[in-house]
Amino acid sequence: MSWLTRVRNALPFGNKRETPDNLWVKCPRCQEMLFAKEYAENMSVCMRCDHHGRISADERLAQLMDEGFELLPAPRVAEDPLKFRDSKRYKDRLKQARAKSAHPDAFTAAWGTIEGRKAVVGVQDFTFMGGSMGMAVGDAFCNAAQIALDANCGFIAVTAAGGARMQEGILSLMQMPRATVMTRRLKEAGLPYIVVLADPTTGGVTASYAMLGDVHIAEPGALIGFAGQRVIQETIREQLPEGFQRAEYLHKHGMVDMVVPRNELRGKLAQLLDYLNPAQAA
């Protein structure tokens, strides 16, 4: 035994305490280490650079809705209708995603109020298979829209997706026209349909219900587009401007109505519900 080990063992220090792995969060933009508790209390927004981190469906609903909101039942759809397999079976991918999530698929809806205004809110969770749009997502969206129609209130969709779910093929793509029909029914009924574009909103979701709202709100820095920047550049053979698919660029060029920080989003939605559905406000 070396003299250093003997001296260290003789010192009145207890065993070194283990440090939990979840005390700190690294901001993906500025790379600063943030105290996890403070980060969560700040709605998962970086205190240094204002980067808006991705959050779960439950966190989003709790931030937007008044206490006492009620989750709508998740739809039951045929699982793995195409018996799809790539490097892993689709059924196994679903099991893996559900093991990490509190919900059976990527779209979760709830009924309740936003600062006293009745509303149905549907949230797409990017952590569940990239928020991909399959039959379960399509059914959940359509069911939530129908609840809003029945309750004569506004419907708010918070989108975050990589597009259609390739493991369901054409059945996934069919959710685009289904959701489009429901947005049309809301419009015909004179009910507000508001879209909150979270990071990222891309692919078939952008090509359907994400861009059919009466008002489009984007979170700061959110990536919004159909195809990726590299694919577009290779197709048109032109260099694209910096940040051309980010919320601020799209707002400047008229594709998004407003960019609203997360801590102001709830109040802004309540205000819009008043404007777009004055009968309820009265």
Side-chain angles (χ1 to χ4, degrees):
M1 182 183 294
S2 70
W3 68 269
L4 182 59
T5 302
R6 289 196 300 272
V7 170
R8 185 191 62 190
N9 291 342
L11 292 174
F13 302 131
N15 293 331
K16 183 179 179 182
R17 292 185 299 174
E18 294 293 328
T19 302
D21 295 332
N22 59 352
L23 280 179
W24 300 92
V25 175
K26 179 185 280 189
C27 174
R29 179 190 290 170
C30 68
Q31 302 300 307
E32 284 287 330
M33 296 300 294
L34 310 171
F35 191 39
K37 187 174 183 291
E38 293 180 355
Y39 181 68
E41 290 172 349
N42 201 43
M43 295 183 156
S44 298
V45 176
C46 178
M47 294 77 77
R48 309 300 200 277
C49 70
D50 201 39
H51 173 75
H52 282 53
R54 297 170 184 172
I55 58 177
S56 69
D58 289 334
E59 289 176 295
R60 181 74 69 177
L61 290 170
Q63 289 177 9
L64 295 183
M65 305 190 77
D66 301 337
E67 288 186 11
F69 63 83
E70 180 182 346
L71 289 178
L72 300 181
R76 293 186 176 183
V77 299
E79 292 190 0
D80 197 13
L82 306 181
K83 302 293 185 279
F84 191 92
R85 181 183 186 120
D86 44 26
S87 60
K88 187 182 295 186
R89 293 192 310 167
Y90 179 37
K91 281 188 176 182
D92 293 337
R93 291 192 183 278
L94 284 173
K95 288 179 183 177
Q96 186 178 13
R98 287 168 181 162
K100 300 176 182 177
S101 174
H103 303 286
D105 216 286
F107 196 94
T108 303
W111 149 256
T113 58
I114 298 176
E115 295 190 357
R117 287 80 167 173
K118 290 192 302 181
V120 175
V121 180
V123 178
Q124 213 154 356
D125 190 344
F126 190 77
T127 62
F128 193 104
M129 295 186 70
S132 51
M133 176 185 62
M135 291 189 296
V137 169
D139 267 19
F141 181 94
C142 293
N143 292 348
Q146 186 60 54
I147 294 293
L149 284 165
D150 295 340
N152 195 39
C153 68
F155 178 35
I156 296 163
V158 183
T159 60
R165 189 169 296 176
M166 69 174 202
Q167 291 90 346
E168 295 183 17
I170 189 64
L171 299 173
S172 174
L173 297 178
M174 285 302 298
Q175 307 315 308
M176 296 168 63
R178 290 186 67 218
T180 299
V181 167
M182 294 308 296
T183 64
R184 176 58 60 182
R185 289 180 180 173
L186 288 165
K187 189 177 293 290
E188 290 171 351
L191 296 173
Y193 172 49
I194 303 169
V195 181
V196 177
L197 300 155
D199 180 68
T201 297
T202 61
V205 172
T206 307
S208 55
Y209 55 85
M211 300 307 293
L212 294 175
D214 299 309
V215 178
H216 295 96
I217 303 172
E219 286 198 318
L223 175 68
I224 304 163
F226 179 66
Q229 179 171 342
R230 180 180 56 81
V231 173
I232 296 173
Q233 286 186 165
E234 290 178 356
T235 302
I236 66 175
R237 301 187 185 283
E238 288 186 18
Q239 186 66 32
L240 296 167
E242 184 68 26
F244 90 108
Q245 287 182 319
R246 294 292 173 177
E248 292 75 13
Y249 184 92
L250 296 180
H251 177 231
K252 181 179 178 180
H253 290 81
M255 287 290 291
V256 168
D257 295 303
M258 59 187 80
V259 178
V260 178
R262 192 169 289 168
N263 63 348
E264 299 175 15
L265 188 54
R266 183 173 174 177
K268 181 61 68 176
L269 289 173
Q271 185 182 44
L272 288 171
L273 288 171
D274 280 347
Y275 287 157
L276 298 173
N277 198 12
Q280 181 182 283

